[in-house]
Amino acid sequence: MEFFDSHAHYNDEKFEVDRDKLIKKIYNDNITNIINAGYSLESSKQAIIIAKNYKFMYATVGISPNDIEDCSKEDLSQIENLAKNKKVVAIGEIGLDYHWNTENKDLQKEIFILQIEMANRLELPIVIHTREAIYDTLDILKNKVNCIRKGVFHCCPLNVDLIREGLKLGFYISFAGPITFKNSKNADEIIKMVPLDKILIETDSPYLSPEPLRGKRNDSRNVKYIAQKIADVKELTLEEVAKSTYKNTKNIFKIGF
Ligand code: NI
């Protein structure tokens, strides 16, 4: 049985001490594909450099809403150049975050839209980060710009409206640690809403460790806890969830085509 961790940050400094050893351990534990996500110009560069070392690792490049304050138009054109690298499978993570930043909503929207247009030029899908900004995110996708290759709601907030509208728009839903948290009251309801052929799994490492490892540094091996939770709720085997999510991830990011 093989698993695909569709979103992790091995470009994070928390992996500085043991990155290479850990990534090999992860691979040997049957996590046989990983997408290493960028969130700023620097982390996007790093995401590609690290991914180049492993044939089972890919990268995304983009400026997240929490990193746009120091970003210039020049950075966006550098991101566009990085995105032409063969290892890059999407523009992301990009989007809106009104939890950490409420002062610059207009700038967040502008940079989000510019990066969707960039993805369209490059014929790439997008990886969306949205936090406490569900209706503005949906408004952009529905009314402001046509996102051609669609993409993924990464670490998707457990919100019924977002899931319903996101699926209608043709996006995939990626589940992370929070579906396993004891205080996620509606996780089961949300998981049932998403057809198996629209689900991706991810760890968002080094953050968001699933139960029972909350608070510890996360790594891709723990993607199995996410898959197990989905299997339990949908009354499927772990293998069925592993297989489908693997296939879905390859499909949306055109890996192995
Ligand atoms: Ni992330």
Side-chain angles (χ1 to χ4, degrees):
M1 203 186 319
E2 296 175 71
F3 296 85
F4 199 138
D5 183 357
S6 72
H7 189 110
H9 300 283
Y10 289 99
N11 43 5
D12 192 282
E13 60 185 17
K14 292 197 175 67
F15 292 115
E16 215 61 69
V17 282
D18 60 348
R19 183 180 291 118
D20 184 55
K21 248 194 196 160
L22 177 66
I23 290 171
K24 284 174 180 152
K25 239 189 260 173
I26 289 165
Y27 183 78
N28 289 328
D29 200 26
N30 296 324
I31 317 303
T32 57
N33 273 293
I34 297 170
I35 295 174
N36 201 20
Y39 46 86
S40 61
L41 180 56
E42 196 46 45
S43 67
S44 296
K45 285 181 188 165
Q46 287 303 320
I48 296 173
I49 290 170
I50 296 162
K52 277 183 175 167
N53 293 330
Y54 310 95
K55 72 174 191 303
F56 53 90
M57 191 182 278
Y58 307 88
T60 72
V61 297
I63 313 272
S64 93
N66 298 320
D67 294 86
I68 56 172
E69 274 305 328
D70 336 293
C71 138
S72 65
K73 290 264 149 77
E74 165 59 22
D75 290 353
L76 286 180
S77 61
Q78 285 204 52
I79 290 283
E80 186 152 0
N81 277 328
L82 290 175
K84 291 169 187 157
N85 190 288
K86 267 201 262 173
K87 280 286 185 181
V88 174
V89 296
I91 299 297
E93 50 189 280
I94 59 174
L96 305 176
D97 192 323
Y98 300 166
H99 177 79
W100 293 112
N101 291 293
T102 49
E103 307 295 299
N104 61 357
K105 291 183 179 177
D106 287 338
L107 182 65
Q108 290 191 41
K109 290 179 200 169
E110 185 195 338
I111 304 289
F112 184 32
I113 291 168
L114 285 172
Q115 291 184 98
I116 295 172
E117 289 167 350
M118 181 194 297
N120 287 344
R121 283 194 294 280
L122 297 161
E123 296 176 36
L124 287 172
I126 61 171
V127 175
I128 300 172
H129 169 111
T130 180
R131 190 160 182 201
E132 292 173 28
I134 285 165
Y135 299 99
D136 281 1
T137 302
L138 288 171
D139 178 56
I140 285 173
L141 296 172
K142 280 186 194 168
N143 307 317
K144 301 287 193 291
V145 56
N146 175 29
C147 182
I148 296 169
R149 280 279 316 277
K150 311 296 180 192
V152 179
F153 282 94
H154 124 76
C155 188
C156 192
L158 305 181
N159 175 286
V160 172
D161 291 344
L162 177 64
I163 300 279
R164 192 185 51 239
E165 297 301 309
L167 287 171
K168 237 192 255 170
L169 285 163
F171 282 78
Y172 285 77
I173 305 298
S174 184
F175 289 123
I179 63 163
T180 69
F181 294 175
K182 293 196 176 81
N183 57 356
S184 294
K185 291 194 188 76
N186 64 348
D188 291 21
E189 178 196 359
I190 295 282
I191 292 166
K192 284 179 190 155
M193 277 181 75
V194 188
L196 188 59
D197 64 0
K198 298 303 267 184
I199 297 179
L200 271 54
I201 51 175
E202 64 168 279
T203 57
D204 208 12
S205 297
Y207 306 103
L208 288 174
S209 285
E211 294 287 1
L213 303 163
R214 279 188 84 173
K216 301 213 174 101
R217 185 183 73 169
N218 200 4
D219 71 59
S220 296
R221 291 173 292 184
N222 300 331
V223 82
K224 292 173 186 178
Y225 291 101
I226 319 298
Q228 187 63 58
K229 170 73 186 186
I230 296 164
D232 291 346
V233 172
K234 287 192 171 293
E235 298 179 20
L236 299 166
T237 64
L238 183 61
E239 182 148 22
E240 286 170 306
V241 174
K243 236 188 202 160
S244 289
T245 53
Y246 207 94
K247 193 172 129 207
N248 299 340
T249 314
K250 288 197 151 190
N251 280 340
I252 182 63
F253 296 117
K254 289 205 171 144
I255 290 169
F257 278 72

